Amino acid sequence: EVSILKNRDAYSNSAKTYDKFIEPTMTKCRKIALDMYPPRNNISILDVCCGTGGQLNMYCQAGCKLFGIDKSKAMLEVARRNSAIQPI
C-alpha cells in the first residue's frame, strides 16, 4: 500500500490551477531570485523542482536556454505548455 502512494503524482489534480493560487505569492520571491542571478543571453538555466515553470519563464524572456525537472509529470506538462523548457 505504501508503494502505491509513493508512485502517485500528488499534483495530478491541481497542476492546471496551481499557478492561479501560487503565483501571486511567489512573484516577489521570483524577482529576488532574478536580482541574485540575473539572466544573460545564451546561458543555460536548470531549475530543479521547477513545478509549472514560473521561474524559468522569467529567464525565457532574456534568451536563456531552459531546462526543468520535476517529479510531477502533470506539473511538467503545464510547464512545457507555458514556456520554452527543454525536456530532460
Side-chain angles (χ1 to χ4, degrees), residues 10-78:
Y11 293 96
S12 61
N13 293 326
S14 62
K16 292 178 182 175
T17 58
Y18 182 86
D19 286 339
K20 182 178 181 178
F21 299 102
I22 299 300
E23 253 343 278
T25 307
M26 292 300 299
T27 300
K28 191 171 187 175
C29 293
R30 294 191 194 291
K31 289 179 181 178
I32 291 169
L34 282 176
D35 288 341
M36 292 174 64
Y37 301 101
R40 294 184 314 271
N41 191 30
N42 213 20
I43 62 170
S44 296
I45 302 290
L46 171 63
D47 187 349
V48 178
C49 301
C50 68
T52 60
Q55 188 68 40
L56 288 171
N57 285 336
M58 297 178 119
Y59 285 97
C60 180
Q61 297 168 1
C64 301
K65 187 172 182 180
L66 308 175
F67 298 91
I69 55 177
D70 198 286
K71 184 177 180 183
S72 170
K73 184 178 180 180
M75 296 290 261
L76 284 174
E77 288 173 6
V78 172

